[in-house]
Amino acid sequence: MKRITVADLDTQSTDAEVPSYLASDHRENRWLRWWYRLASPATPPASASFQRRELFRRGRTGSQILPALYLLLIVALPAGFLGTNFYLVPIVIACFFMLVIATVLNRLGFVNAAGFIVVLTFMFFPIADIVTTPGGINMMDLPVFGMLILPLVCAVSFLAPWWVFVVALINCLFTFLALTQLPQTPELMGMLEINFTGIISPILISQIIISVVAYVWVSSTVHALARADRAEEIARLEHDLALQAEAAARQKEQLENSIQKIVETHTRVANGDYSARVPLTGDNVLWQISGSLNNLLARMQRLHQDSAELQKMKQGFYQLREENRRLRETVLALQQLREDEGRSRGTSSPLSQFSPDDPRKLMWNTGEERF
């Protein structure tokens, strides 16, 4: 069987912050606090799953009965020295050693493994004491059968509730076989022949009653804890849904504000303000689109400036060409006037030697500075 630890369970549980009304205020007994540090598993976080917290509960409950089990073994040790069964001392020492191992495993979180060791230890303790009795089972061993109740208590404390029936069945089978098959003293044998049912019935009935009561008690506790856990889980889900709704509303508001800023920037650009930009603030959830739009607007602004400069150059060129045209017309008119004057005098004018396309030469030869 695979051993399950507290740390192995709820690996997918989150460590999200739990609201104050969901956090349970659990106060430990100050007298047992030091013992919990030695024998109990570590306390799981408040956000742990129900399986993990249930495993911790079983480990904590088991750690509470461990001191009584240690005390029982310590008390039984002198009986081994003073009694007739000289095997009882090594049996007690072996059980004490196994109980220490179970305590360490329980502290490390191996609750199921610790529970199996404790149950087997305290099944072995009375069984070994009965089997190793010198001369066979006697009347003094009958009260030892009552110690078979200890494995039932250990089973419901450390393990799942249904394990108590398995332990009770094993105890009943051992009791029946011990009183029918194992060697017995003549005194006990005579009593069993007279009233076998009256001797074995209390032992078996006590096993059945205690196992049923323990199962019902622990099962009711587990079901109550499960219902409380479901109610707590519902409250936690409602809290998480409220937080998600609040985050969605806040995100929607930020999205609307970001869209509004983009629309305002478009409106300003459409009205001719090419210097408009979308603010890249921390609450702008569309900052990637806004950044790309700002780059596009910067290029459009440079394009608009270059277009305006080109238009000015174009106008200057048109004005220069118009002035050049007027200048040529003036030169042609002046040349025609000089030619007409020269014909009237019978001499040729120096202006006839120049082309109207060269006004600088014309101005030089005629001594004119301007037209």
Side-chain angles (χ1 to χ4, degrees):
M1 179 179 294
K2 182 179 178 180
R3 290 182 296 185
I4 304 176
T5 67
V6 174
D8 291 335
L9 291 176
D10 193 31
T11 55
Q12 297 180 352
S13 65
T14 60
D15 292 332
E17 183 180 357
V18 179
S20 59
Y21 62 87
L22 292 178
S24 58
D25 186 14
H26 176 71
R27 295 182 180 180
E28 295 180 345
N29 189 327
R30 62 178 182 175
W31 300 106
L32 293 176
R33 188 177 303 169
W34 66 272
W35 175 249
Y36 290 154
R37 295 176 182 175
L38 297 176
S40 176
T43 304
S47 59
S49 66
F50 175 74
Q51 289 80 7
R52 182 173 179 181
R53 285 185 278 117
E54 172 62 16
L55 188 65
F56 165 74
R57 183 197 65 79
R58 290 195 276 118
R60 176 60 62 90
T61 304
S63 67
Q64 293 171 354
I65 68 170
L66 286 177
L69 299 179
Y70 279 109
L71 181 62
L72 175 64
L73 294 178
I74 293 174
V75 172
L77 192 59
F81 291 102
L82 301 176
T84 58
N85 189 358
F86 56 88
Y87 292 106
L88 185 58
V89 173
I91 291 174
V92 172
I93 294 175
C95 291
F96 192 89
F97 178 73
M98 296 303 295
L99 195 59
V100 170
I101 295 177
T103 303
V104 174
L105 290 176
N106 191 60
R107 173 56 185 168
L108 295 177
F110 297 92
V111 178
N112 290 334
F116 282 119
I117 293 176
V118 172
V119 171
L120 293 176
T121 298
F122 283 90
M123 288 178 67
F124 169 77
F125 176 59
I127 290 175
D129 186 19
I130 294 172
V131 171
T132 58
T133 301
I137 304 175
N138 54 45
M139 294 294 296
M140 301 297 295
D141 290 330
L142 291 179
V144 181
F145 285 95
M147 294 184 63
L148 292 174
I149 296 175
L150 289 176
L152 301 178
V153 178
C154 297
V156 296
S157 299
F158 281 97
L159 305 176
W162 58 270
W163 275 102
V164 69
F165 294 114
V166 177
V167 177
L169 179 60
I170 296 174
N171 290 341
C172 292
L173 290 176
F174 169 75
T175 302
F176 179 79
L177 293 176
L179 295 179
T180 57
Q181 303 297 327
L182 293 180
Q184 303 164 3
T185 60
E187 182 184 4
L188 178 61
M189 189 178 300
M191 291 192 62
L192 291 175
E193 291 177 355
I194 297 173
N195 192 12
F196 176 79
T197 304
I199 294 175
I200 196 173
S201 295
I203 300 175
L204 301 182
I205 292 175
S206 63
Q207 291 285 325
I208 295 173
I209 292 176
I210 291 176
S211 60
V212 171
V213 171
Y215 176 80
V216 173
W217 171 61
V218 174
S219 298
S220 301
T221 302
V222 172
H223 291 325
L225 292 175
R227 288 193 296 269
D229 181 75
R230 284 194 293 270
E232 183 178 340
E233 187 66 24
I234 292 174
R236 184 180 290 109
L237 289 175
E238 291 177 350
H239 173 75
D240 293 341
L241 288 176
L243 291 180
Q244 291 179 2
E246 183 181 354
R250 184 168 57 252
Q251 186 176 9
K252 180 181 178 182
E253 182 180 359
Q254 292 178 349
L255 183 62
E256 291 177 352
N257 293 336
S258 301
I259 294 176
Q260 183 63 30
K261 292 177 181 178
I262 293 177
V263 171
E264 292 176 356
T265 303
H266 274 284
T267 303
R268 291 175 58 186
V269 173
N271 293 331
D273 185 8
Y274 291 97
S275 63
R277 298 291 184 271
V278 181
L280 298 178
T281 56
D283 59 344
N284 189 350
V285 295
L286 300 177
W287 60 270
Q288 292 180 329
I289 299 176
S290 301
S292 301
L293 179 61
N294 288 342
N295 292 334
L296 178 62
L297 294 178
R299 294 181 181 180
M300 288 182 61
Q301 185 178 14
R302 288 195 297 268
L303 224 82
H304 180 71
Q305 293 175 353
D306 294 342
S307 176
E309 292 178 359
L310 183 61
Q311 188 67 24
K312 291 180 180 179
M313 292 177 61
K314 200 173 187 182
Q315 292 177 357
F317 175 75
Y318 287 152
Q319 292 178 359
L320 182 60
R321 189 172 65 175
E322 183 66 22
E323 291 179 359
N324 189 27
R325 184 183 63 78
R326 292 177 182 177
L327 180 60
R328 292 179 61 184
E329 290 178 356
T330 303
V331 171
L332 290 176
L334 182 58
Q335 182 180 5
Q336 185 65 31
L337 181 61
R338 293 298 177 89
E339 288 179 355
D340 292 342
E341 184 181 357
R343 290 194 193 97
S344 61
R345 295 179 180 179
T347 60
S348 60
S349 172
L351 292 173
S352 60
Q353 300 176 3
F354 298 95
S355 168
D357 294 333
D358 195 359
R360 294 181 181 179
K361 293 181 179 180
L362 178 63
M363 292 170 60
W364 176 265
N365 289 318
T366 56
E368 298 275 346
E369 293 182 0
R370 63 178 179 214
F371 295 98

